[in-house]
Amino acid sequence: MNERTHPSRNGNDSARPQNPGTRERNVSQVLDSNALDHTDGEGKPIPVTIPIALCDHVTVVYTTRLGGVSTGDYASCNVGGRGGDDPVSVGANRSALARQLHARISLVSQVHSGIAADADLFSDNAAYGYDFSGGAHGDRGPTPAVKADGQVSARAGVALGMFAADCLPVLLADPQAGVIAAAHCGRKGLQAGILANTIGMMRSKGARTDSIVATLGPRICGDCYEAGSDIADESDSPFPGTYTSTPYGGPGTDIPQAALQALRRAGAAPTL
């Protein structure tokens, strides 16, 4: 999730003094997160997120499974609309996330492509923002689908959402031009030019290539992505050096390395 906002910092570092001449034994306690109350006094869910300040006025936010109303295998903050979860729960979780971000959430239908979508052309069609993912939300049924794997916006108060599992989310911004972007980078999308196309759309909105910063989100690494020799060769051709040998004995491909090469070719500066 990439949003234009005013980043904030807070923290509380504390240390407990030890009594002279005594030794303390560190005791760790494992908590069952599913047993915690994930709602406020009004029964509204409170998503647990990981915010990171990418640059001035732009915050990257990673969601977790904590702080929602979904149950069972989807507990509890499931925001994915295609896995079989109750659409009402998914809608409630997305609405809670939008409230926490103080932003409208924009979603597209990700198809491992090189297509970037202009989120500034989207309009509200859901309680939480612009849903063009093609999935169900709330009680309204399936949403329209805009097939894309990149989103770009120059509007404040918008959070560009990207779903990722093994694939890599890349979040970008030009803080001077006020342009943000998010890209879903699997091996097929990278080969199709998703990062170059996303950055190209950012430039069309006034971003300068030398002002764009980018961060790579959680993803599978080259040591773990065992893909077979054909796929590894196919990925290594446009991105030399991304062919890997995994600890499991087979060839693999390094998606983060491919993304870094694509960003540098496009002139963007990866920062995190």
Side-chain angles (χ1 to χ4, degrees):
M1 202 73 73
N2 197 7
E3 61 167 341
R4 285 182 59 196
T5 181
H6 292 282
S8 61
R9 276 177 38 184
N10 57 59
N12 185 16
D13 295 329
S14 60
R16 181 173 57 177
Q18 293 183 336
N19 293 327
T22 65
R23 294 178 60 192
E24 288 190 334
R25 182 176 61 184
N26 292 327
V27 178
S28 61
Q29 182 180 10
V30 178
L31 297 177
D32 179 6
S33 60
N34 289 323
L36 300 176
D37 187 359
H38 297 150
T39 59
D40 61 17
E42 299 179 353
K44 296 179 180 178
I46 308 172
V48 177
T49 61
I50 304 170
I52 299 174
L54 177 60
C55 54
D56 288 345
H57 310 308
V58 180
T59 301
V60 169
V61 178
Y62 299 110
T63 61
T64 72
R65 292 191 61 169
L66 305 179
V69 297
S70 296
T71 59
D73 292 340
Y74 303 100
S76 64
C77 191
N78 174 45
V79 292
R82 294 186 174 182
D85 193 8
D86 177 9
V88 174
S89 296
V90 173
N93 292 335
R94 291 176 177 178
S95 292
L97 180 61
R99 286 194 300 271
Q100 185 180 90
L101 298 177
H102 303 288
R104 310 300 288 157
I105 297 174
S106 179
L107 301 173
V108 292
S109 177
Q110 300 169 210
V111 291
H112 296 278
S113 70
I115 301 170
D118 185 349
D120 292 341
L121 300 179
F122 298 161
S123 57
D124 274 23
N125 66 349
Y128 44 83
Y130 328 130
D131 189 346
F132 294 89
S133 63
H137 64 79
D139 56 0
R140 303 186 186 187
T143 63
V146 173
K147 295 181 179 180
D149 287 270
Q151 292 194 75
V152 180
S153 177
R155 289 192 286 194
V158 173
L160 303 178
M162 280 293 162
F163 295 104
D166 290 346
C167 293
L168 165 70
V170 176
L171 300 314
L172 311 97
D174 179 344
Q176 298 177 25
V179 180
I180 62 172
H184 166 243
C185 300
R187 58 178 183 84
K188 292 183 179 180
L190 286 167
Q191 292 169 27
I194 184 59
L195 284 174
N197 294 338
T198 299
I199 291 171
M201 183 171 288
M202 292 180 72
R203 289 198 300 265
S204 73
K205 291 182 175 292
R208 290 171 51 93
T209 304
D210 57 1
S211 297
I212 295 174
V213 295
T215 183
L216 277 60
R219 70 280 182 178
I220 195 169
C221 68
D223 288 341
C224 298
Y225 190 178
E226 187 165 317
S229 59
D230 290 345
I231 291 175
D233 283 332
E234 182 184 349
S235 298
D236 192 71
S237 178
F239 303 110
T242 58
Y243 189 112
T244 66
S245 296
T246 73
Y248 312 106
T253 186
D254 191 333
I255 288 179
Q257 182 57 234
L260 288 172
Q261 290 187 31
L263 285 169
R264 293 188 180 108
R265 289 174 191 172
T271 59
L272 296 172

